[in-house]
Amino acid sequence: MSSRRSPDSERSPENGAQGKLLVICETWDGRAIKPALEVVGEARTLANRWAGRTVIDAVVCGDMEEPGSTLGSLGVDTVYHCTSPLGTYNPSMFVETLETFVRQHAPFLILCAHTLWGAEVVARLAVELEAPLVSNCVELLKVSNEGLSALESMQGGHLHRECSFPWQGLAIVSWNPDSLGPSAVYEGRSAPVEALPLSCLSRSDAVRSVRLVEGDVHSMPLEEADRILAFGRGMDPEDLPGLQELASELRASVGGTRPVVDAGLLPFERQIGQTGVSVSPKLLMAWGISGANEFTVGIEEADSIVSVNTDPQARMLMFSDLGLVGDGKAILRLLLELLKRGDAGAGASSEEVA
Ligand SMILES: Cc1cc2nc3c(=O)[nH]c(=O)nc-3n(C[C@H](O)[C@H](O)[C@H](O)COP(=O)(O)OP(=O)(O)OC[C@H]3O[C@@H](n4cnc5c(N)ncnc54)[C@H](O)[C@@H]3O)c2cc1C
């Protein structure tokens, strides 16, 4: 969890604290995306601070399996499920349904993850509802009867802007995905699910979703990636094409340490660690990375870590489920050859590894 301060619970809006908090839940491929689940967790934390008088509604936009148990176990009280025959990625088509929902259910606070999808939905919603919007929020400083103040992330996170506005009965907050952590799970808790029909498709006429094209794995956001290939100063710049080829084979997103970003081999948003992004992939491969604390704080949530390093004493190996001690360039070449031969799973002979 991040070390954000909590909003002033003593002075939370009296009516609001007894009212409803709405989370808009983005989905992808039949699941709620991770930042959306983390926003649900944040909503539950806020509701608990407000003496438990706040109820949490979640509107799930798009297909999702078992939303009642998944979202209920994170603290949602009622799930409203809105599916669309037009596929998943079209933010605007959900806006009218959400607008009608908000007018009927009158939440005092709406939370959504600040993804491309979420940012568009809440911006349109804020206009339709004439409600104030905190965009890319990293910290809610105060929610009281007098007003709301929050920190917004700007300039790629290099700058935070404190904004505040008087309380008007409803505020919308899109939350920066990097500023949230895993949510508390209430085992066995489940929420009732009600279908929420898509009220109108007309807004999707302006921009039609024509088709979905699989993204370039190299540019997939690190925070979303299930697999990450990270490399550090131990790898040669001339190994970069090979590392990217391996990443493509593994459908992995590419990231790195600060020295490789400083050297211009990767853009800043690909830096993992204290001053970069925190990641939580199922698999992280660390090539030529020493494992400095400033790097490893960014990979604490990774499920499995495989490291390649010439130094058997490298700190990175302490964090690894599997460590390959050897020259990264040679191991990379061998792995690519094995993948091309289609027998990477069969393993290499000891002569090949040597
Ligand atoms: C305030 C502050 C913030 C920072 N923030 C970050 C951050 O967000 N992210 C970050 O990464 N760093 C950050 N750093 C820098 C951090 O302290 C380390 O310097 C950095 O992580 C080291 O990067 P590295 O592992 O690529 O390089 P090195 O520490 O130089 O490690 C290179 C590794 O490669 C191995 N190696 C060498 N040759 C080979 C080979 N042929 N094959 C395989 N392995 C080989 C070496 O044994 C070594 O373990 C920060 C530092 C400060 C002071």
Side-chain angles (χ1 to χ4, degrees):
M1 280 280 188
S2 69
S3 58
R4 295 185 316 277
R5 277 176 287 148
S6 58
D8 185 350
S9 55
E10 301 282 313
R11 306 175 63 212
S12 55
E14 281 168 16
N15 295 329
Q18 292 165 10
K20 288 191 171 181
L21 200 157
L22 169 64
V23 181
I24 300 171
C25 211
E26 177 182 350
T27 61
W28 183 254
D29 219 9
R31 288 185 300 170
I33 62 165
K34 192 158 59 109
L37 297 178
E38 291 173 356
V39 170
V40 169
E42 185 66 24
R44 175 40 61 196
T45 305
L46 290 171
N48 289 349
R49 284 193 193 125
W50 290 326
R53 287 176 294 148
T54 305
V55 294
I56 302 175
D57 287 343
V59 171
V60 174
C61 298
D63 293 336
M64 179 179 177
E65 285 172 23
E66 301 182 3
S69 53
T70 303
L71 299 178
S73 70
L74 297 177
V76 168
D77 294 300
T78 308
V79 175
Y80 297 86
H81 196 177
C82 183
T83 53
S84 159
L86 296 184
T88 308
Y89 192 84
N90 192 342
S92 57
M93 70 185 165
F94 291 103
V95 173
E96 189 157 320
T97 305
L98 287 165
E99 183 193 338
T100 309
F101 182 91
V102 171
R103 292 194 192 284
Q104 284 170 353
H105 292 253
F108 68 97
L109 191 60
I110 301 175
L111 303 180
C112 183
H114 188 87
T115 58
L116 277 178
W117 185 95
E120 182 172 340
V121 166
V122 293
R124 288 170 183 265
L125 206 52
V127 171
E128 299 297 339
L129 295 165
E130 296 184 30
L133 170 66
V134 178
S135 181
N136 213 3
C137 173
V138 291
E139 184 174 346
L140 263 186
L141 298 172
K142 190 178 84 168
V143 182
S144 78
N145 281 335
E146 288 146 34
L148 183 149
S149 64
L151 290 183
E152 290 181 332
S153 174
M154 299 173 72
Q155 310 269 344
H158 289 279
L159 208 58
H160 291 168
R161 178 178 80 115
E162 181 172 343
C163 59
S164 70
F165 44 82
W167 193 252
Q168 297 170 27
L170 170 65
I172 304 178
V173 176
S174 66
W175 218 298
N176 178 295
D178 288 340
S179 63
L180 293 169
S183 312
V185 177
Y186 302 85
E187 294 294 347
R189 194 176 184 281
S190 170
V193 182
E194 290 183 26
L196 182 65
L198 205 57
S199 56
C200 177
L201 299 177
S202 61
R203 288 179 197 207
S204 59
D205 290 343
V207 179
R208 283 177 45 239
S209 286
V210 180
R211 65 189 172 118
L212 295 175
V213 181
E214 219 168 65
D216 176 2
V217 284
H218 302 140
S219 56
M220 190 189 298
L222 288 172
E223 302 89 323
E224 290 287 324
D226 274 346
R227 296 177 189 179
I228 293 176
L229 186 156
F231 69 100
R233 190 155 42 191
M235 298 305 285
D236 220 298
E238 68 185 29
D239 295 327
L240 188 54
L243 289 165
Q244 284 181 328
E245 191 183 338
L246 179 62
S248 298
E249 293 283 349
L250 299 174
R251 300 280 316 146
S253 195
V254 176
T257 60
R258 180 158 150 179
V260 302
V261 170
D262 287 348
L265 297 176
L266 289 176
F268 175 66
E269 64 268 19
R270 303 265 125 205
Q271 181 179 316
I272 297 169
Q274 182 182 315
T275 42
V277 292
S278 295
V279 297
S280 51
K282 293 196 172 72
L283 171 68
L284 181 129
M285 294 189 88
W287 292 76
I289 294 177
S290 60
N293 186 48
E294 291 84 359
F295 174 78
T296 55
V297 289
I299 60 166
E300 282 169 358
E301 301 292 330
D303 283 350
S304 301
I305 298 176
V306 177
S307 294
V308 179
N309 203 301
T310 42
D311 178 6
Q313 305 300 326
R315 184 172 183 267
M316 192 63 228
L317 295 174
M318 284 167 35
F319 291 83
S320 305
D321 301 280
L322 176 67
L324 300 175
V325 177
D327 176 33
K329 188 189 287 288
I331 295 172
L332 177 63
R333 199 173 46 230
L334 179 62
L335 206 46
L336 286 171
E337 271 171 29
L338 291 171
L339 283 166
K340 275 182 196 138
R341 288 196 333 227
D343 59 358
S349 70
S350 53
E351 294 81 47
E352 281 175 308
V353 173

